[in-house]
Amino acid sequence: MPTKSSILSSSYYYCFLSCICILLWQYLQVTTAFSETRSLLKPPKISPATGLMNRWYTWKEGQIIRYQVTGPVEGKPVVLLHGLFSNSDHWRKTLVELPKSGFRVYALDFWGCGWSSKPPPHSDLAQKCNGETHRFDQIPSILHNVALKSSDGKTTRIVDMELRHPFGSPYNFYTWSDLLTDFCKHVVLTNTTTTHTRSREVALVCNSIGCSIGWQAVMDTPDIYSGVFAISPNFRELNPAEIPFPRWTMPMVRGIQQCLRQTFLGTALFDMLAKPDIVAWMLKGQPYAVKKAVDDTLVKVLLDPLLTQGTRQVIFDLLSYSAGPLPEQQLSSTLFPPETPVWVCYGQSDPWTSGPRVEALKSLMPVEIVKGFSGVGHCPHDEAPELVHPLLLEFLNRVQPKVISQTNDEEDDASRQDHALAESPTIMP
């Protein structure tokens, strides 16, 4: 039975969506034409948010993945996973802090996000990268009788869960899990100073949907990861298991999603919203409870990559992703190794993630700690790093001992330059 708070939350979402549609209609009425193209930006050589050189990992089918790395080469590896519509620059404060304690820190832009490649979802090239291909040949794509908590953190719902993307898009958690594991194998673990690869060496730090990506990667390749530090895990309100309305409403929801994906309405909505003042307004109005954390640099590094070729298609494709894994299902799965520790923190003023539901994750075997931060929203690592980083360092010392850096700044800068491209990639991501 849906709770009152979950119904209000979803009602708010649909009211908000309706208002956007009305504004969009007014926008189209008063605008005789809008540009089908805008000036496409190229990735900078140096990130304006972190001061680090952008690097490029060539993934399968020649796909270009942007990443940043800092800290002593001999440091224990930590990989930072961003959330929806974000990129590695969102970890601007964590990329500065963790190397001070001797960690080697990586942050990548997921495929389809940030400055990474964004091929059309249904192109042959993109489908060759699809992590769902053959995944459900031997296992079911629908899980039955899965126990999920409601937003009050007390009521347990028994639901059926659809794992496969409803439109066959390659931009899904299984593709990103494959990418993360390949990145760790080919970049992170080959850059250590050890002569052999030790098991469970990479610590993951995740925000929002990055948490589900990290947990899926641990389920898929548990021998690589030492633990997961999850910041504001997202329960994805558009998943059919989360919508507190009858299942017969899903065709209606997917019809709206299809309309935004395949018609001029999606392009017009994107063009209307992809402006610095609008982005700043949206960040302050929803995910960020600490308004002063929304500065010009944050707006720039989040918006600029959204103006690259293919972004519109990917964004509305992701908004159509009303399926896939959910936190309780992943953490209670027999595929998730119970010896891999999970720590969770969240902002108690987060409008998107239910605090009581996050607290309820403590009942699951891998979860050791859940901590809430007062007055903080969906992005605690950027809003209140002074609260997050001490807990994060405690976690990292729990899963892998700290290594004191013997490498000075000049040596580390030289190492970064050795591994970075001298120019932006000639093939635009």
Side-chain angles (χ1 to χ4, degrees):
M1 191 72 183
T3 63
K4 181 178 179 181
S5 59
S6 64
I7 291 176
L8 287 174
S9 176
S10 289
S11 299
Y12 175 83
Y13 172 81
Y14 286 111
C15 287
F16 178 76
L17 185 61
S18 299
C19 289
I20 289 293
C21 290
I22 292 170
L23 287 172
L24 174 60
W25 177 252
Q26 292 297 319
Y27 170 78
L28 293 176
Q29 289 289 90
V30 300
T31 306
T32 57
F34 58 86
S35 174
E36 290 293 332
T37 60
R38 62 168 77 233
S39 176
L40 298 178
L41 300 178
K42 292 185 178 181
K45 291 172 63 176
I46 303 293
S47 164
T50 66
L52 297 172
M53 197 170 279
N54 284 326
R55 305 189 188 194
W56 311 97
Y57 163 55
T58 302
W59 190 41
K60 61 177 69 172
E61 302 300 324
Q63 296 300 283
I64 303 298
I65 305 300
R66 177 256 198 149
Y67 73 99
Q68 302 178 62
V69 60
T70 183
V73 174
E74 72 274 16
K76 291 291 186 177
V78 180
V79 179
L80 311 178
L81 311 180
H82 65 78
L84 189 64
F85 307 142
S86 185
N87 60 74
S88 59
D89 283 327
H90 201 205
W91 294 104
R92 54 186 177 158
K93 297 170 184 176
T94 310
L95 282 165
V96 170
E97 188 63 28
L98 293 188
K100 295 176 183 177
S101 296
F103 293 99
R104 182 72 166 170
V105 189
Y106 298 80
L108 74 160
D109 294 1
F110 284 114
W111 185 59
C113 305
W115 295 110
S116 293
S117 296
K118 307 175 183 71
H122 293 288
S123 65
D124 290 341
L125 175 62
Q127 287 299 322
K128 287 179 181 178
C129 301
N130 194 339
E132 288 186 351
T133 303
H134 303 305
R135 180 175 283 263
F136 301 114
D137 290 351
Q138 304 297 327
I139 62 173
S141 62
I142 298 179
L143 300 180
H144 298 285
N145 301 319
V146 179
L148 301 176
K149 289 294 184 181
S150 297
S151 59
D152 61 8
K154 299 176 181 178
T155 308
T156 299
R157 300 170 291 127
I158 304 300
V159 302
D160 294 340
M161 283 184 54
E162 300 176 29
L163 300 181
R164 193 192 300 270
H165 195 295
F167 299 114
S169 171
Y171 297 107
N172 57 65
F173 289 104
Y174 305 108
T175 303
W176 292 321
S177 169
D178 290 349
L179 166 61
L180 175 57
T181 294
D182 288 343
F183 178 78
C184 288
K185 288 179 177 178
H186 301 150
V187 177
V188 178
L189 294 177
T190 59
N191 284 340
T192 63
T193 57
T194 57
T195 57
H196 64 282
T197 299
R198 293 177 298 216
S199 63
R200 303 185 187 279
E201 188 169 357
V202 179
L204 299 177
V205 182
C206 325
N207 174 231
S208 191
I209 69 164
C211 299
S212 285
I213 297 171
W215 289 328
Q216 189 61 49
V218 171
M219 293 167 65
D220 291 343
T221 49
D223 58 316
I224 291 179
Y225 305 104
S226 62
V228 182
F229 187 89
I231 303 173
S232 302
N234 188 277
F235 294 95
R236 305 179 56 238
E237 292 81 358
L238 281 180
N239 190 298
E242 294 300 304
I243 294 179
F245 298 116
R247 291 184 68 86
W248 57 261
T249 62
M250 279 310 299
M252 227 174 3
V253 172
R254 287 179 175 166
I256 295 173
Q257 294 171 334
Q258 191 89 334
C259 180
L260 291 173
R261 290 171 73 245
Q262 297 184 349
T263 71
F264 72 95
L265 292 175
T267 299
L269 179 60
F270 180 89
D271 283 350
M272 182 175 68
L273 298 179
K275 295 179 173 62
D277 55 339
I278 299 295
V279 171
W281 172 75
M282 289 192 294
L283 289 172
K284 292 177 181 179
Q286 280 288 304
Y288 275 68
V290 181
K291 312 301 181 187
K292 65 180 182 181
V294 180
D295 54 23
D296 291 343
T297 299
L298 177 67
V299 171
K300 177 178 176 58
V301 298
L302 292 183
L303 178 58
D304 282 0
L306 296 179
L307 304 181
T308 56
Q309 188 68 40
T311 295
R312 294 184 185 93
Q313 285 181 292
V314 174
I315 282 182
F316 289 111
D317 216 56
L318 294 178
L319 290 175
S320 304
Y321 191 10
S322 50
L326 290 170
E328 295 101 334
Q329 167 257 322
Q330 292 177 304
L331 292 172
S332 61
S333 171
T334 56
L335 296 177
F336 197 99
E339 67 275 11
T340 300
V342 173
W343 287 23
V344 182
C345 69
Y346 68 98
Q348 294 176 340
S349 298
D350 187 341
W352 295 346
T353 299
S354 161
R357 187 168 176 181
V358 178
E359 291 285 347
L361 294 176
K362 283 186 291 191
S363 65
L364 302 177
M365 176 71 73
V367 181
E368 297 181 345
I369 288 177
V370 176
K371 185 175 181 61
F373 298 121
S374 176
V376 181
H378 192 63
C379 308
H381 60 293
D382 196 57
E383 296 178 64
E386 72 281 1
L387 300 178
V388 174
H389 288 156
L391 184 67
L392 173 55
L393 288 170
E394 184 181 346
F395 166 79
L396 292 175
N397 288 323
R398 152 78 173 86
V399 299
Q400 49 190 15
K402 180 172 65 174
V403 175
I404 302 300
S405 171
Q406 299 297 322
T407 306
N408 60 33
D409 292 341
E410 290 77 16
E411 289 172 333
D412 192 51
D413 286 343
S415 173
R416 285 201 297 270
Q417 292 181 23
D418 286 343
H419 291 85
L421 293 184
E423 302 292 340
S424 298
T426 54
I427 301 176
M428 274 299 297

